Amino acid sequence: MSERLEDIAAKMMAPGKGLLAADESTGTIKKRFDSIGVENSEDNRRAYREMLFRTDAAMRDHISGVILFEETLYQKAADGTHLAELISAAGAVPGIKVDKGAKALAGYHGETVTEGLDGLRERLDTYYDAGARFAKWRAVIAISDTLPTRYAIHANAHALARYAVLCQEQGIVPIVEPEILMDGAPGDHSIDRCAQVTEAVLTEVFAELHEARCLLEGMVLKPNMVIDGQNARKASVDEVAEKTVTALKRTVPGAVAGIAFLSGGQSDEEATAHLSAMNAMGDLPWPLTFSYGRALQAAALAAWGGKAENVGAGQQAFAHRARMNGLAASGQWSREQEAA
Ligand code: 13P
């Protein structure tokens, strides 16, 4: 018998653990590899991700699940083991990015809608057979004085909801990710503008999820934090934590299984500090954890540099970030531990 959605979601939100977003598309991982001068070959992608998934200290103790790109779900380690099996063997849940990317929204300059609904039921069935028990769909919301438009919010919320219930029908927990960009152009918005847009977007997303008959206990929300744009950084850690929790409490039903943030261009330490400060506030209706891509991987990627002899150093860097974020998921991170 298949597992209950609620039980998978609870495993993803296990205390002191969070998600590793390693689902960079072939184009996005190319940008990461370019930054360290590594060729974007299938074998290099395999070697890099195998290094992460074989970091036992991180995977067993601090990572509850890993989001994979389709290629990785079917890829094998150097010794022939499926990479998804490495993840399961460490006690984490394998998941899969199922959207086909954010595409220009016709008639709405500067905005996007995420595609990938056609044929999704059949793809989810195949992914389930390959071991995936949760999925991710990322909607991208532009922010400025005049954006987003009501139409872009609605189109993206509608697609997220249709995706979510298709996942649940196939026994897969949906991660619902409406990302308001921190690092998009122009990126000079204030934290209060981010709060306003975040509340409007989440309100629409949960209205659509309700209409679509989504089981809230069997889904995970992956939101941005309420934060100022990359070209307007000034809010303190406490202000980000307080404004993020306020926006979420106003818009996210308490029945939702959990919330796992994206890092969105924050530095490693900022992303950790913000999460810890929110959890330290206490009295939250849902578990709050991380689902970081860059903020979990940047140090490991740099330490590895594409060289087999640096695998140990890459794993050490990943284990450190995973441990720091595990502490943050319990509200127990501190600058002293960061340095230790
Ligand atoms: P970042 O944490 O790098 O924003 O990536 C998370 C993610 O999965 C975005 O879709």
Side-chain angles (χ1 to χ4, degrees):
M1 204 184 90
S2 63
E3 305 120 286
R4 294 167 68 238
L5 294 167
E6 295 93 318
D7 296 335
I8 300 167
K11 194 170 174 192
M12 292 163 68
M13 298 306 300
K17 293 188 178 185
L19 302 162
L20 166 64
D23 60 326
E24 299 84 3
S25 63
T26 308
T28 301
I29 198 79
K30 179 178 186 316
K31 285 189 225 160
R32 308 280 185 265
F33 281 6
D34 281 350
S35 74
I36 54 165
V38 169
E39 188 205 341
N40 186 25
S41 64
E42 183 175 345
D43 198 52
N44 282 338
R45 295 193 291 272
R46 191 269 314 148
Y48 172 63
R49 288 167 171 151
E50 180 172 355
M51 170 184 87
L52 298 177
F53 307 159
R54 285 196 191 274
T55 307
D56 282 348
M59 295 294 298
R60 277 176 210 285
D61 298 337
H62 307 298
I63 302 296
S64 58
V66 183
I67 317 174
L68 303 172
F69 189 59
E70 189 181 70
E71 172 186 89
T72 320
L73 182 64
Y74 297 102
Q75 214 167 21
K76 288 180 178 162
D79 70 0
T81 315
H82 274 107
L83 293 181
E85 273 174 47
L86 293 182
I87 294 166
S88 307
V93 186
I96 172 106
K97 166 195 174 76
V98 302
D99 68 69
K100 298 275 189 189
K103 305 288 162 62
L105 181 61
Y108 284 78
H109 183 70
E111 299 194 285
T112 61
V113 66
T114 300
E115 297 186 349
L117 288 171
D118 289 356
L120 182 57
R121 174 179 280 129
E122 292 72 24
R123 284 200 288 134
L124 287 166
D125 195 35
T126 314
Y127 297 148
Y128 188 97
D129 288 342
R133 291 296 176 273
F134 71 90
K136 179 189 109 170
W137 178 291
R138 173 174 177 254
V140 181
I141 307 290
I143 177 170
S144 71
D145 291 346
T146 50
L147 298 181
T149 60
R150 292 295 324 166
Y151 183 71
I153 295 174
H154 177 74
N156 278 291
H158 182 78
L160 276 168
R162 284 188 57 198
Y163 141 82
V165 289
L166 277 167
C167 287
Q168 292 187 333
E169 182 194 84
Q170 299 300 317
I172 289 180
V173 169
I175 294 184
V176 172
E177 179 179 9
E179 174 174 3
I180 293 144
L181 291 174
M182 167 189 171
D183 59 359
D188 59 358
H189 55 276
S190 68
I191 187 170
D192 291 318
R193 175 71 181 147
C194 182
Q196 184 183 41
V197 172
T198 300
E199 288 183 24
V201 169
L202 291 177
T203 299
E204 181 74 6
V205 166
F206 281 98
E208 287 291 320
L209 288 167
H210 176 74
E211 288 281 336
R213 304 182 175 166
C214 177
L215 178 75
L216 298 179
E217 292 84 349
M219 67 157 275
V220 169
L221 178 71
K222 176 163 173 166
N224 52 280
M225 293 182 195
V226 172
I227 194 164
D228 30 27
Q230 65 173 356
N231 300 321
R233 310 306 316 285
K234 58 180 178 300
S236 66
V237 170
D238 287 343
E239 187 179 1
V240 171
E242 192 263 315
K243 290 187 169 168
T244 302
V245 167
T246 297
L248 294 172
K249 280 187 171 174
R250 286 176 176 169
T251 55
V252 183
V256 167
I259 297 176
F261 292 100
L262 59 96
S263 61
Q266 300 177 51
S267 73
D268 295 359
E269 198 173 314
E270 274 180 330
T272 304
H274 291 149
L275 177 63
S276 195
M278 284 187 249
N279 278 310
M281 288 165 70
D283 193 27
L284 301 168
W286 355 250
L288 288 189
T289 191
F290 56 91
S291 175
Y292 295 160
R294 284 162 286 180
L296 267 174
Q297 294 185 52
L301 185 73
W304 174 62
K307 299 196 174 71
E309 64 266 30
N310 292 339
V311 162
Q315 291 184 321
Q316 220 174 357
F318 175 47
H320 177 68
R321 278 282 31 99
R323 196 167 71 81
M324 292 302 108
N325 285 306
L327 288 165
S330 316
Q332 284 168 357
W333 173 85
S334 69
R335 277 226 160 73
E336 293 70 57
Q337 274 156 323
E338 188 69 49

